[in-house]
Amino acid sequence: MQYRHVQKNGDSLSVLGFGAMRLPTRRGRIDEERAKTQIRSAIDAGVNYIDTAFMYGESERILGDVLQDGYREKVKLATKLPPWQLQKPEDMETILNGQLKKLQTDHIDYYLLHALDANNWKKFQDLGVIEFLEKAKAAGKIINIGFSFHGHRKTFKEIIDAYDWVFCQIQYNFLDEDIQAGKEGLLYAASKDIAVIIMEPLRGGVLTQKIPSEVTKIYNSADKKRSPAEWALRWVWNHPEVTVVLSGMNNEAHIAENITASEDAFAGSLTPEELSMMNEIKNVYRKLMKVACTGCSYCMPCPFGVNIPECFSFYNTYYMAGNRLITRGMYGFRLMGAMGGTTSHASLCKNCGKCVSLCPQHIPIPGELKNVSKTLSGWRTKILLPLVKMMVSRKKLDNSA
């Protein structure tokens, strides 16, 4: 296993992190014994960074059991504080204490503010989150403070500059250099000696499922034969600014493949020819996109609250590859208020046209947002949304019990 250093605390973290959001299932429920075997085998192979969150169903509780028998001491454990569950400052401590109990530990090594964007960051600030974090750190309940991010680059830089963060977590893959924090954010965080944890290196499976024939042809032409997943992971690891790449591993063969790849996927190890090939593949995927949005965010902010770049990102993902049902669900999760947060979906568009004059790609944004709404806010999503909200309500009740 290859390890990279966290500048602000000297930790050596495995370049491959275990993302515990998508644990293996059996008959509709998490297969706890299989998850235990998978996670412990990954730790035995050198993985020492485990990522979960309050909102990942039973993940925290299961990890609490998995990390017994001396395994807790072998890893750095990361979990997150959800803004959607907070109504008053006291809720932050209640949630943290509940997480410590579920995880069966007296401290969280890497504690993140979950899914920051401009709205969630303001909510956290209004609740006095920095004071809470500092108090929890002084009490030894959390060790390192960071955040995960799903907003715009401008907001990302503002958050980076607002506090002495040890680490941050961003979405990054060869299709998303210009989306959310993007490469610009990666470089900016690294310039401040902030460790960068990467999520969605495979774009939720889009880069490994239903591979377009033209992409397959390009992969097959490479001198080295690697799976699409390995190529995508190696592309991210090629960046020296990246500290850990999270993989939501729930298949034994995939875990073994990722661990093997991580052993020699050093920064700068891809050849110019291989980087050119990845860029060619990126261009093929972009041709399949319905909307030529680069995620530059010049169209933002929308006066009616639409998250235009993210709407187009979900829309493109829906048509490029992967599981369309999951894409609809994530659209509801992120943009339609399934978590109880601020809504920012395409249906909020009032056709004011302000965004059109600002778009360097000259996209007819209001018309495309109608297509997004028709595709992703249809009857299937409207059925999924109440189910997600019901699950969130149950989570709140469980936490208050």
Side-chain angles (χ1 to χ4, degrees), residues 335-346:
L335 304 183
M336 294 183 69
M339 304 305 298
T342 304
T343 57
S344 53
H345 53 88

Side-chain angles (χ1 to χ4, degrees), residues 166-268:
V166 173
F167 71 113
C168 66
Q169 185 170 308
I170 65 172
Q171 176 172 326
Y172 195 63
N173 55 68
F174 69 78
L175 277 187
D176 290 341
E177 286 188 276
D178 301 313
I179 291 175
Q180 298 181 20
K183 186 171 184 178
E184 186 178 335
L186 170 67
L187 297 177
Y188 190 73
S191 74
K192 305 283 186 177
D193 291 331
I194 294 171
V196 183
I197 314 298
I198 301 300
M199 57 183 159
E200 302 293 352
L202 307 180
R203 220 179 201 239
V206 166
L207 303 180
T208 63
Q209 301 170 6
K210 299 180 182 178
I211 305 297
S213 58
E214 191 174 346
V215 170
T216 298
K217 183 178 179 181
I218 297 171
Y219 277 135
N220 289 341
S221 70
D223 292 335
K224 292 184 179 179
K225 303 308 174 187
R226 295 166 174 157
S227 70
E230 184 176 349
W231 278 115
L233 290 171
R234 284 180 177 273
W235 184 90
V236 181
W237 279 322
N238 199 60
H239 295 71
E241 301 84 7
V242 168
T243 308
V244 175
V245 177
L246 295 174
S247 179
M249 302 179 283
N250 55 24
N251 177 287
E252 288 77 6
H254 296 165
I255 295 170
E257 178 187 23
N258 292 351
I259 289 172
T260 298
S262 71
E263 293 173 354
D264 65 352
F266 301 106

Side-chain angles (χ1 to χ4, degrees), residues 66 94 160 187 201 248 326 354:
V66 168
T94 299
I160 286 287
L187 297 177
I326 290 177
K354 178 183 176 183

